[in-house]
Amino acid sequence: MAEKESTVYIVDVGTSMGSTHNGRDVSNLEFAMTYIWDKITSTVATGRTTATLGVIGLRTDGTENELSGEESFENISVFQEISNILLPDLKQLQSKIVLSSTDKGDAISAIVIAIQMITKYCKKLKYKRKIVLVTDGTGPLDADPDSLKEITNKIKQDNMELVIVGVDFDDAEFGFKEEDKDPQKAQNERIFAELTESCDGIFGTLQQAVEELGIPRLKTTRPVHSYKDPLTLGNPEDYDSAACIDVERYPRTMIRRPMGASRFVQRQNQADGSTQSTGTVVHDCDIAMPDADGNDLAGVKNSRTYQVVDEEAPGGKRDVDRDDLAKGYEYGRTAVHINETDENVTKLETQKKLEIIGFIPWANYDRFMSMTVSNILIAQRTNSKAIMALSSLIHALFELESYAIARLVTKDDKPPVIVLLAPSIEVDYECLLDVQLPFAEDVRSYKFPPLDRVMTVSGKVIKEHRNLPNDTLNSAMSKYVDQMDLSTFGRDDDGNPSEYMPMTDTFSPVLHRIDQAVRWRAVHPTEPVPPPYEILVRYSNPPEGLVKQSKKRLDKLIAAANVKKVPPKVQGRKRNRNEVKPLSGLDVEALLGGNRKKTKVSAQNAIPDFRRLLDSAESIEAIRDAAQQLGKIIEGRIKDSFGDIAYARALEEIRTLREEMTEMEEPTLFNDFARQLKRKLLSEELGGNRKDFWWEYRKSKLGLIDNKAAETSDATEEDGKAVSNEPSCRSVCKPPLTFISFGP
């Protein structure tokens, strides 16, 4: 269970907080609220009921607190009592935290009120108590030594944490010192520093606190075991010599997903039942929830209906109940029906178990075999016998440089998996790390030509070839890689070479960017979201210093590899068809004798002839003639096909015709051909019943060229659907694999 937290924020809203200093474009109050809002929204984002907070205003125009009867507690107002904060509460806080017209108000008294609020709310329960004061330190302080001593004793007694962050406070560790500081502010800083030091608190400047907001805060997750039973070597039920060790299995690495967005309906006028749709970052639920404007949101549920083809039903389809459905497993182009009562035959009966089935040397394991994230195996924490036994196994594997192969079933009747157990020995603990291994069906073996040699058809091996790197290129590449080494490009605190991109400083840009945007929009619904934090995009590109340092090596590598600029693509005269202009400027087609124009498309070489004919076409009539020639060849291929042997070739030619007419901006030629082809297929003019070809046409999603694919097309997306979904095509549709049972 997450630890209970109670935090009180004290915000100074005095008149002096409205000024600007040190070249900032915003006031001191706006600068301070950058820090406060980030902390509050981070607490709200957790959604934990155990994370509570309160807000106190210092140097306010009015007085609103339980000790308002005493003079020293004037001009202090409680903006928010300690409770769970939601988005509507943030809106109310925004309206209350505004600049006041007074500088009266004692920060020490505000700390006393915060202590009282925490004591009243937390009582004697176990809470993580914290007080955060943000001020510019210019107001008067009641720094009575006896009072400060009592405050220090109370903070220590209740185990509270006091954090004082000041606007332009001097901080030697951060390296900031304000010039020409007001004497009263300097004295107040000394009082605050002594107070935090006496109660083991934190004292710092606001500039550092705001800069550290860009460092993502990692979420601490409570480990949950996925297996808590014996690890066996041998069968302990049959043999007394079998080993049986009680272990626990926890995740070692796991992908953290960014928060997801769900859709809600905003209920504005609940009396008349009118609604308005909206999108909100909360998961589906049945209860009403408030959004940033305080309106209630109702969770949206999905509804699914099942339909079967029925010519007599309206629309040609009939709804069926889910209970009438039966499962069918696709087997080729048919389906095999298995009743629910017999469904257990498809399941493998297993028992919860982790058993070692063998051992392999380290050298026999390939890294690509790791299929999942890693997990950690430790002995039961209160079982000294299991701790000693597992330690012996870990050290034995380490000394023999071996891995253990085990069969794991995390729950009864769950599919078994094979895992690899690797020993891990650290200074303060020992464990086994496991990753899932593939079965034979999981391995995808692909063969690629070797990179260091060329093999001819006869089997001859060639070591020197234009496609193989020579020694000069290998040397240039090796030196360039060495020059781009990141392992020593960074610098540690002492200025010594260190790793440039350590994993502890590499954060997920997507995850934390979404978190940053949501928290910002919760407080600023209409303002643009600020750019990502610098630390999130720091490693998006190689460091500039390293790029400059390796520039000479890169130039030598380019020269050794003979890298040349890609020829620019130029627009041809023939309706936006692109052609590559040679660097030499020579007409290659003319040199090869390719200037003879092609006038006919042959059935034996239809696609190349068709494209060459288009390349030489200089008028729309020539393009239309080429399209008609290919169309006749396609119709003839369908008509003369023995069964569906020629269908694949005909479809490829139709696809080519569609692509070329789209590029030529002549979609009408293809659309007319498609409509005519369908009419001939359904009227059986192409060698009898060839409706099965139209099914293949629809399955290939060729359709029509609509105005989305080509602006010059007069066909819409609905026209394309109408061509495929007219009643005359229904007999061609492939029947569904779902079984429907109508009887008892």
Side-chain angles (χ1 to χ4, degrees), residues 20-32:
T20 59
H21 296 90
N22 293 312
R24 291 189 293 267
D25 297 331
V26 296
S27 65
N28 293 343
L29 180 59
E30 293 174 316
F31 188 48

Side-chain angles (χ1 to χ4, degrees), residues 618-678:
E618 297 180 353
S619 64
I620 183 61
E621 289 76 13
I623 297 175
R624 182 181 293 108
D625 178 65
Q628 290 175 353
Q629 290 187 50
L630 183 60
K632 291 181 180 179
I633 292 174
I634 295 171
E635 292 178 358
R637 209 177 296 285
I638 298 172
K639 182 177 181 180
D640 299 335
S641 175
F642 182 76
D644 59 355
I645 290 178
Y647 285 1
R649 189 172 181 181
L651 289 171
E652 183 62 26
E653 292 167 348
I654 294 175
R655 185 176 291 105
T656 301
L657 178 61
R658 175 189 170 92
E659 293 173 355
E660 295 296 335
M661 293 301 101
T662 302
E663 185 178 353
M664 286 291 214
E665 297 182 358
E666 294 294 341
T668 305
L669 297 179
F670 177 81
N671 293 341
D672 292 344
F673 163 77
R675 293 187 178 100
Q676 182 179 1
L677 177 64
K678 176 186 174 182

Side-chain angles (χ1 to χ4, degrees), residues 484-500:
M484 289 290 292
D485 185 13
L486 294 174
S487 61
T488 57
F489 186 74
R491 290 293 183 268
D492 58 15
D493 297 337
D494 299 329
N496 300 320
S498 64
E499 185 179 359
Y500 170 74

